[in-house]
Amino acid sequence: MIPAVVLAAGAATRMGRVKALLPTGVAGESFLSRIVTTLDAAGVDDVVVVVAPGAEDVRQAVMALPILARVVENPHPEQGQLSSVVAALAAIDHPGASAMLVTLVDAPFVSAETARALIAAWRRTRAPVVRPVRGGRHGHPVIFDRAVFDALRHADPALGAKAVVRAYGAAVLDVEVDDDGAFQDIDTPEDYARATGRPLPGGA
């Protein structure tokens, strides 16, 4: 099994509002619901959404999804994304979990085809890290093999998961994808407008 983890515990200070609940432009669809639906379409069996303490609106949105997903609280989101990954590991690391797919709520438009391609590449190679690439640029989701879990737990929070990825060097498997959504990191109202073709509802 490859559980999927959606990192949604960030403060979203540059966006000015909770990114998980932003509309994608499709009726009734939020960043969060888009990502969970995509992961389900990619064949992921277990989806975990990591939230910050007090994020009841996001928690309720997860519970309202037609697709089953779990909520995990990161008690220290101020420590950065790696702290959310570690919080997720506490929930998904069991003998049946052979790897973990990690994606960002900031990147809602990644395609199911990309997620499927990464999962297939990991199953074929059992590489420690599998990530999408295009034109030398790396994106999301990223798959971490079970062999990497302890390294993630013990990594320096200030350096984050990128330091773990770098440590595996040539063993990291880059999968070429033609998917704009895999390389979109929507952090600001300007990013939102570019990605959706519409201004941020209500302004920042």
Side-chain angles (χ1 to χ4, degrees), residues 79-96:
Q79 295 179 3
Q81 282 184 356
L82 182 62
S83 66
S84 288
V85 173
V86 173
L89 277 171
I92 65 93
D93 186 9
H94 52 77

Side-chain angles (χ1 to χ4, degrees), residues 30-51:
S30 67
F31 279 20
L32 177 64
S33 66
R34 172 69 170 255
I35 293 168
V36 173
T37 300
T38 296
L39 293 170
D40 181 67
V44 173
D45 296 320
D46 184 22
V47 178
V48 171
V49 180
V50 184
V51 304

Side-chain angles (χ1 to χ4, degrees), residues 15-138:
M15 186 66 75
R17 64 187 61 193
V18 177
K19 285 185 276 189
L21 305 181
L22 287 174
T24 64
V26 175
E29 183 181 76
S30 67
F31 279 20
L32 177 64
S33 66
R34 172 69 170 255
I35 293 168
V36 173
T37 300
T38 296
L39 293 170
D40 181 67
V44 173
D45 296 320
D46 184 22
V47 178
V48 171
V49 180
V50 184
V51 304
E56 287 305 314
D57 47 357
V58 180
R59 186 184 295 271
Q60 290 301 317
V62 173
M63 296 299 102
L65 292 171
I67 298 164
L68 184 63
R70 294 190 284 155
V71 175
V72 170
E73 185 175 292
N74 175 5
H76 301 292
E78 71 281 358
Q79 295 179 3
Q81 282 184 356
L82 182 62
S83 66
S84 288
V85 173
V86 173
L89 277 171
I92 65 93
D93 186 9
H94 52 77
S98 301
M100 169 179 64
L101 181 150
V102 178
T103 196
L104 308 176
V105 78
D106 315 38
F109 298 114
V110 63
S111 71
E113 289 77 14
T114 291
R116 281 195 291 265
L118 295 172
I119 292 169
W122 174 81
R123 285 179 172 151
R124 185 175 65 251
T125 66
R126 293 301 198 268
V129 180
V130 180
R131 58 187 178 178
V133 65
R134 184 177 66 182
R137 184 181 177 192
H138 301 113

